[in-house]
Amino acid sequence: MRIIRIIAILLMLSAVILPQTALASETVNTDTNIKTVFSKITGFFFPAPALADVAPVITENVAAEPAVKEKTQEEIKNEAILANWKGKQTQKWANLPKDQFVINASAYTAAADECDNNKGITSSGIIVKENRTLACPPEFPFGAKIRIEGMGTYTCEDRGGAIKGNHFDIYMETKGEAFHFGRRNLMAQVVE
């Protein structure tokens, strides 16, 4: 009779403790949750002096590792195009500035009146994309990543007849954005 009571008490405790433990945990870590429940149950039935020689179980929430973002077909294609250019422009990579430098930045769009077509294909062969595409002077190799003050990091993917010296063109989706941006002197640095 005593054994049946103990089993009934164990079942009731597990029915109360397990759901609370599962709800309290934000991350899924079943190994830690099982150890926690087991230590609570054993602590209830076997007081601490009986388990004094057992090391305490430390429970902590382990943040889930961020999922690795898979590359799209477009990203894979762009990387292949830039890798091809990298092999052709080794001297330009060696001559990139190491320190910060001032650029005279303006903006452009892929409108037909600016690019002779509206397909958005850059000089490197990559299709333009906002917050990524940068038209650089010929001294900068395709694929070079440049962090521009207040704007973010852009990739040299395009050229232009007026893009010389310290003049860089940042691709923007609309003419309104490009006109609003105007022309600015900004600090920049090559990051790759």
Side-chain angles (χ1 to χ4, degrees):
M1 189 70 165
R2 207 179 234 175
I3 293 174
I4 295 173
R5 283 187 196 161
I6 291 173
I7 291 173
I9 291 171
L10 282 173
L11 288 173
M12 288 189 313
L13 281 174
S14 65
V16 170
I17 293 173
L18 285 174
Q20 290 176 352
T21 304
L23 289 174
S25 175
E26 289 183 10
T27 60
V28 178
N29 191 343
T30 56
D31 189 40
T32 303
N33 289 343
I34 292 169
K35 287 178 183 177
T36 304
V37 170
F38 183 73
S39 66
K40 287 179 181 179
I41 292 171
T42 55
F44 178 78
F45 287 105
F46 305 104
L51 296 174
D53 58 338
V54 177
V57 177
I58 299 172
T59 61
E60 59 184 56
N61 285 338
V62 179
E65 291 184 28
V68 176
K69 182 185 168 200
E70 290 189 35
K71 294 180 180 176
T72 64
Q73 289 294 342
E74 180 187 5
E75 290 171 326
I76 293 169
K77 178 183 170 191
N78 291 349
E79 286 178 2
I81 291 170
L82 293 176
N84 186 31
W85 279 106
K86 191 168 188 173
K88 296 177 183 178
Q89 300 178 331
T90 53
Q91 186 61 38
K92 290 181 180 184
W93 284 96
N95 294 331
L96 285 174
K98 307 288 184 241
D99 298 323
Q100 286 190 339
F101 55 98
V102 176
I103 64 169
N104 184 270
S106 59
Y108 76 109
T109 67
D113 61 329
E114 289 184 45
C115 302
D116 297 331
N117 67 48
N118 61 355
K119 295 178 183 174
I121 299 174
T122 63
S123 298
S124 64
I126 295 174
I127 296 175
V128 293
K129 184 174 181 184
E130 194 168 33
N131 299 319
R132 185 194 72 207
T133 301
L134 183 66
C136 300
E139 298 80 29
F140 286 79
F142 290 132
K145 298 211 182 284
I146 299 176
R147 185 180 324 115
I148 302 172
E149 159 193 40
M151 299 297 295
T153 301
Y154 289 80
T155 304
C156 286
E157 297 175 348
D158 209 356
R159 299 271 189 259
I163 310 300
K164 297 176 183 156
N166 73 336
H167 183 194
F168 288 74
D169 244 357
I170 300 170
Y171 173 76
M172 296 193 177
E173 194 69 34
T174 66
K175 283 193 172 200
E177 291 173 313
F179 286 130
H180 179 70
F181 182 82
R183 186 176 287 274
R184 306 175 189 179
N185 285 329
L186 300 171
M187 294 300 294
Q189 185 168 13
V190 175
V191 293
E192 186 180 314

